[in-house]
Amino acid sequence: MEAPTAKLVCEQTKSPDSPEQCSSECASAVPALPKQFSVPVKPSNDWRQPNNKAVDSQNSNAETNTAARNPTCQACAEIIRGPFVTAVGKNWHPEHFKCVICGTNLQDEGFVQDDSTGQLLCENDYNSQFAPLCFRCNNRIVGDVLHAIDKTWHSDCFVCTHCKRPFGNSGFHLEEGLPYCENDWNELFTSKCEACLKPIQAGHRWLEALNVNWHAECFKCCTCMKKLEGETFFSKSGKPYCREHHHQIR
């Protein structure tokens, strides 16, 4: 939606007629402001959001306005005679509508209202003052924030402890409070099957025999490949054999 613009207004009659139609006693007509607008900062999906009422609810813009009577400037507390800016339910002289930190005029800039103080800041100063710190690099996070293990991260900084690759949309495992990708966690921390050497993961049927671990389907006679789960077996040189083939081994 296009932002509203201020019209020429006769100071005497308060009429939006053109200046040449005003009476000769009229001192002057209020000059029209150029069209001004504000693009509110888009909040990230995961950290402290700017006040949703920081701009006009109809057009999401700070609007210049000469229609209201005797508005008071939020900054200097003086009555405004002429065009003024309306935003977050308050009024300002156009020259007073600025960032409280750097002084940048906010009519043409995105701005955010600090929830705790009600003050207006430009996007850059709001980010530098209030953006969360990344747990890994300790720099401010501007844009999307990743929340994981009770900390905030840049998406590129949240990586596997072992291989250092970012997790992206993949899951991860924690070991002593540190994140690991699926492959590295299985390689480093899970038991391996003695036969196939693959990890024995949660939900797998497995058993312990000959002081090592096996997938249930991998525990077989080394000669005939008969499954030995729940069966009597014999060992020779650390390998399992069924009763029949054990006697054939010398």
Side-chain angles (χ1 to χ4, degrees):
M1 182 181 294
E2 185 178 6
T5 57
K7 296 181 180 179
L8 289 173
V9 178
C10 174
E11 280 293 326
Q12 186 179 54
T13 65
K14 301 301 182 184
S15 169
D17 297 330
S18 59
E20 58 270 17
Q21 295 176 346
C22 296
S23 65
S24 59
E25 289 84 4
C26 180
S28 64
V30 180
L33 287 181
K35 181 168 66 177
Q36 306 287 2
F37 64 96
S38 169
V39 182
V41 177
K42 293 180 180 179
S44 65
N45 55 13
D46 46 4
W47 69 293
R48 153 174 200 202
Q49 296 185 357
N51 190 329
N52 290 331
K53 298 181 180 179
V55 291
D56 182 79
S57 61
Q58 294 183 349
N59 53 33
S60 296
N61 293 328
E63 61 181 56
T64 54
N65 190 345
T66 57
R69 288 182 157 232
N70 300 325
T72 301
C73 177
Q74 178 68 18
C76 67
E78 294 184 0
I79 293 177
I80 304 172
R81 303 187 184 279
F84 60 96
V85 177
T86 297
V88 295
K90 299 179 178 66
N91 305 307
W92 283 266
H93 287 105
E95 64 272 19
H96 292 164
F97 186 62
K98 57 188 179 181
C99 173
V100 297
I101 295 179
C102 68
T104 297
N105 193 286
L106 298 175
Q107 292 183 82
D108 294 323
E109 301 288 337
F111 68 92
V112 185
Q113 184 179 35
D114 179 11
D115 292 335
S116 60
T117 65
Q119 294 177 322
L120 303 184
L121 296 87
C122 66
E123 181 178 357
N124 288 337
D125 285 328
Y126 186 78
N127 287 332
S128 66
Q129 295 289 323
F130 300 108
L133 292 173
C134 174
F135 180 76
R136 187 182 184 201
C137 69
N138 204 39
N139 291 324
R140 295 282 181 183
I141 305 173
V142 178
D144 291 340
V145 180
L146 180 65
H147 294 269
I149 53 178
D150 297 324
K151 299 176 179 64
T152 53
W153 316 71
H154 291 106
S155 58
D156 291 340
C157 288
F158 187 55
V159 299
C160 172
T161 302
H162 185 70
C163 69
K164 308 303 181 186
R165 287 194 290 266
F167 291 109
N169 294 325
S170 302
F172 61 95
H173 295 271
L174 286 179
E175 195 68 33
E176 296 183 358
L178 300 175
Y180 292 84
C181 66
E182 182 82 19
N183 290 338
D184 287 334
W185 186 79
N186 284 330
E187 183 65 28
L188 296 171
F189 301 108
T190 61
S191 299
K192 308 295 188 300
C193 174
E194 180 70 13
C196 69
L197 303 181
K198 293 181 180 179
I200 300 175
Q201 300 179 357
H204 287 178
R205 285 170 51 83
W206 65 282
L207 56 88
E208 183 177 352
L210 304 176
N211 297 319
V212 291
N213 299 317
W214 312 73
H215 288 113
E217 64 271 19
C218 293
F219 188 57
K220 303 174 182 178
C221 172
C222 291
T223 300
C224 67
M225 306 306 291
K226 174 185 176 181
K227 291 184 178 180
L228 297 176
E229 181 185 10
E231 302 287 338
T232 300
F233 68 94
F234 300 85
S235 67
K236 189 171 183 65
S237 301
K239 296 182 179 181
Y241 293 90
C242 64
R243 182 187 299 273
E244 178 182 354
H245 291 102
H246 167 69
H247 296 298
Q248 298 177 6
I249 302 298
R250 300 298 181 191

